[in-house]
Amino acid sequence: MQPKPELAAAEPAGWKRNIALFLGGQTVSLFGSMLVQYAVMWYLTLTTKDGVVLALSTIFGFLPQAIISIFGGVWTDRHNRKLLIMGADAAIAAATATLAILMFLGNRDLWLIYAALAVRSVGAGIQGPAVGALLPQIVPTERLLSINGLNQTIQAGMMLVAPPVAAVLYATLPLAAILSVDVVTAAIGIGLLALIPVAKVLRSDAEPTGYFTDLAGGFRYVFTHPLIRWLLALYAVVMVLAAAPSFLTPLMVARTFGEEVWKLTVLELSFSIGMMLGGATIGIWGKRFSRMGLIIGSSIAFGALSIGMGLSTNLWVFFGFMFLIGLAVPAFSTPSMTVLQETVEPDRQGRVFGFFGIVSALAMPVGMAVFGPLANVRSVEFVLIASGLVTFVAAAAALWSPSGRRALKAARSHADPLSHGQPEEAPAG
């Protein structure tokens, strides 16, 4: 599959410098955010040992992002995306700095942590659509898959590096000091992003539209565009079902193979290394394959691997399946994002990525709301096998749908599915 000629923009001047600055800033900022994520989780776990507290922290950490993502998508299409990212980073840094100061002064109230988590979640809901829509502005269209793969590799690398660094910091510094590190990394990220010239995207509308008109137009566009509607539905199902292997595998290791810490550590390393190698592989060789072929194939692979983990009786075989799960994640998420960036008009990308941001924020909590209680009454092995079978059914249903058949035809021929994915009606605003 190749991008449509009319959608492929001229190569932006100095794009290699700009993407280096962008990815460098995002990496530094992500590193600080992950340090805070782990430190706060460990702090709440060790100081309260209360499941309700952890549940509330998850709600405050995910729900605001899900709510704000759709509004963030509209803002992304109406304003300068670089400034939105910088503003969200600054707001997150301000909330984190405030919490750090209050904790230095001796305040330990849980509601302060919840409030900071909520602000950080809101910032993520604004940043997500803006980052996804900004990349096509600074990267040549034919390089999008490679850059998205590189970005996925960097994120996986941070998943390897951040936990041990966070553990060292948590063992030697108070939580307030770790929060301060995130403020510094956010400032570096903002500074690097400020060096990149990014213009506001010109609207295709003949007349200016209101905010709620844009919001309604985004709904219509997503749900009347066959390819995007199909991809959003498949993305939602896969993300929800992926909650089982993502969150229940440590429980299966502890119940079935033993509670030694090294086993849980190897489990996490298996996934992260697989994800890192998968992102690099997609970045280097992914353009040799059909985007839709990668999406469909990885969806089926998730189901097979989940069943394989549920049937595993050997620990190292189990680790091998977890490595393959990590390998499959970029094969699904990277071409999914690239298809959206290549398909959607620039002035609508924010709203589309806003919808996908909602799915990303809600999928894991929804999945765990189902699979978590189920794992208390049935074995984790049963849950993994069941989620894998449901993934197979969902993938089959997606392929048998009219949009799915068009996607499969494009995957087999390496043709361009974009021409098959025009909206069923011309969406407004």
Side-chain angles (χ1 to χ4, degrees), residues 131-175:
V131 168
L134 175 65
L135 278 174
Q137 288 186 253
I138 62 175
V139 177
T141 303
E142 67 273 11
R143 303 295 185 95
L144 278 171
L145 184 66
S146 297
I147 296 302
N148 285 328
L150 176 60
N151 193 27
Q152 188 93 65
T153 302
I154 292 172
Q155 292 179 25
M158 290 298 100
M159 293 173 62
L160 280 173
V161 174
V165 174
V168 172
L169 293 177
Y170 191 81
T172 57
L173 296 173
L175 179 61

Side-chain angles (χ1 to χ4, degrees), residues 84-128:
L84 277 176
I85 297 170
M86 294 170 62
D89 254 341
I92 291 172
T96 305
T98 302
L99 178 60
I101 292 170
L102 291 172
M103 295 193 78
F104 271 127
L105 295 176
N107 293 287
R108 297 289 187 273
D109 293 342
L110 289 178
W111 72 266
L112 294 173
I113 297 177
Y114 295 152
L117 290 175
V119 173
R120 294 175 65 86
S121 183
V122 168
I126 297 172
Q127 282 184 324

